[in-house]
Amino acid sequence: MEIPIPPSKGPLVVASENGRRGALAAMELLRRGGSALDAAELACQVTEDDPQEHTVGYGGIPNALGQVQLDASLMDGRDLRVGAVAGVEGYGNAIRLARKVMEELPHVLLVGSGAARFAAEMGFRPQDQRTLPALDRWRQRFDELGLHLGEAELRHLVQRLTTPLHLEDRVEQGTVNFLVRDGQGNLASGVSTSGLGWKYPGRVGDSPLIGAGNYCDNRYGAAACTGMGEMAIRVSTARSLVLYLKMGMDLIAAGLECLRELERLEQVPGRYMNIVAMTPDGHHAGFSTVSGKRYLYFDAEMEEPALAPRMTLV
Ligand code: GLY
């Protein structure tokens, strides 16, 4: 088992491995006295805007019909306020829209056409989220599998397109997570994704579902997930981890207990679930159902974000 990293003092950003650019932006804001909530939103936004990141925001791998549908959520550890959106099409920066849901509506989650309508009402400009490299990758998988749109009912195509053929078969199932503690000791968490590549239109993963892919409470800690969202939804991973902390487990025990719950699900080669977590006193850790995965952390005393291995059960 890995030796836990000592707790960080002051501002802290913990993220999935693809969160480097977002973490840099978040820490700059935190060093200027910004809030954890603003930093978590900004970090997600920076990742969403990166066309090279094919699992989040602009340039995400489309669903089975070639449409990009975005999911995101934001949670404020001070008061458990939440904003989330799912299946957003034709608009970018789902995390900013999630923040607007938190602040402008008596709701926590908007989906599909309602979310798009709300984006327009909030003054968001419509923007096609598809890029040529993402569409090339999307087409490439049809070619690899010898499949064509329209040759079979969509559910059968989705079954083939989204099921890895073997351990190394890459079916984009990523997301970005940011857990943030600010100089006041407040926590916030942000999660954003374009979801599982080649998903069935309207499929929603764990990222916008508070309790599954995202949870944050100033009193106990924060947790967020990347990977095959259906797994985290089925065992309520993010909320479970924070609840285990509340019930007195330490961070490592809480994360490993989440992995044990995930282990009970049927295992599909190439599918995995990752968790990042932090406590209010600055302990942090990453966990994964598969070996070789890493997470990122960055505190105010560091010059650069660093990567650390995620713990596994074996
Ligand atoms: N974890 C991202 C998703 O499953 O949509």
Side-chain angles (χ1 to χ4, degrees):
M1 185 176 295
E2 305 296 335
I3 310 285
I5 294 165
S8 299
K9 297 183 176 56
L12 170 65
V13 180
V14 175
S16 46
E17 190 171 355
N18 55 349
R20 182 183 159 81
R21 291 183 61 188
L24 287 165
M27 187 53 73
E28 194 185 319
L29 184 66
L30 293 170
R31 284 182 170 134
R32 287 190 275 114
S35 72
L37 190 65
D38 286 345
E41 180 186 357
L42 175 66
C44 286
Q45 190 182 329
V46 165
T47 315
E48 288 169 342
D49 287 341
D50 181 356
Q52 311 292 340
E53 173 49 69
H54 291 305
T55 66
V56 181
Y58 182 67
I61 300 295
N63 65 18
L65 292 181
Q67 306 152 332
V68 174
Q69 295 185 331
L70 304 177
D71 301 341
S73 66
L74 192 62
M75 186 159 186
D76 189 336
R78 290 173 296 191
D79 49 13
L80 311 187
R81 282 200 312 161
V82 161
V85 291
V88 179
E89 209 177 313
Y91 289 90
N93 292 136
I95 198 73
R96 283 183 49 225
L97 197 54
R99 177 83 182 256
K100 294 287 184 198
V101 171
M102 176 191 282
E103 293 181 340
E104 303 288 342
L105 285 171
H107 308 315
V108 297
L109 172 62
L110 285 186
V111 305
S113 59
R117 177 195 175 102
F118 180 63
E121 201 175 315
M122 288 291 103
F124 284 52
R125 295 241 304 273
Q127 186 193 31
D128 190 344
Q129 297 297 296
R130 293 170 300 183
T131 61
L132 289 177
L135 282 170
D136 284 347
R137 170 72 187 121
W138 176 79
R139 276 191 213 95
Q140 185 192 25
R141 185 147 185 91
F142 280 88
D143 294 345
E144 280 165 8
L145 298 172
L147 299 175
H148 303 277
L149 260 185
E151 72 176 339
E153 291 203 55
L154 196 61
R155 68 179 189 281
H156 298 305
L157 290 179
V158 167
Q159 195 70 256
R160 299 270 312 275
L161 290 160
T162 63
T163 304
L165 299 177
H166 47 76
L167 208 57
E168 284 75 37
D169 188 19
R170 199 164 56 94
V171 178
E172 278 80 355
Q173 54 191 300
T175 298
V176 76
N177 297 154
F178 292 100
L179 311 179
V180 181
R181 184 180 67 180
D182 63 25
Q184 278 68 51
N186 292 312
L187 307 185
S189 53
V191 178
S192 185
T193 186
S194 47
L196 179 68
W198 304 275
K199 63 191 173 183
Y200 199 95
R203 175 267 189 188
V204 173
D206 59 322
S207 305
L209 301 184
I210 294 300
N214 188 359
Y215 203 80
C216 179
D217 184 326
N218 261 11
R219 296 170 297 173
Y220 311 113
C225 302
T226 55
M228 187 68 184
E230 282 74 1
M231 296 172 72
I233 293 170
R234 288 168 67 189
V235 295
S236 305
T237 299
R239 169 63 172 148
S240 293
L241 195 150
V242 176
L243 191 60
Y244 297 146
L245 294 173
K246 175 178 177 177
M247 301 313 280
M249 283 188 189
D250 66 32
L251 181 63
I252 306 305
L256 294 179
E257 185 58 25
C258 288
L259 292 185
R260 277 190 278 276
E261 289 295 298
L262 289 160
E263 197 181 40
R264 292 189 60 236
L265 308 177
E266 73 283 359
Q267 305 298 316
V268 177
R271 281 192 184 151
Y272 58 85
M273 180 47 55
N274 298 324
I275 314 165
V276 286
M278 71 154 68
T279 56
D281 63 0
H283 285 96
H284 53 87
F287 305 90
S288 181
T289 58
V290 295
S291 57
K293 299 284 183 185
R294 300 185 297 180
Y295 76 101
L296 179 147
Y297 66 101
F298 190 22
D299 72 29
E301 290 169 4
M302 296 162 64
E303 283 181 15
E304 289 277 314
L307 293 172
R310 292 179 188 261
M311 294 180 189
T312 57
L313 282 178
V314 283

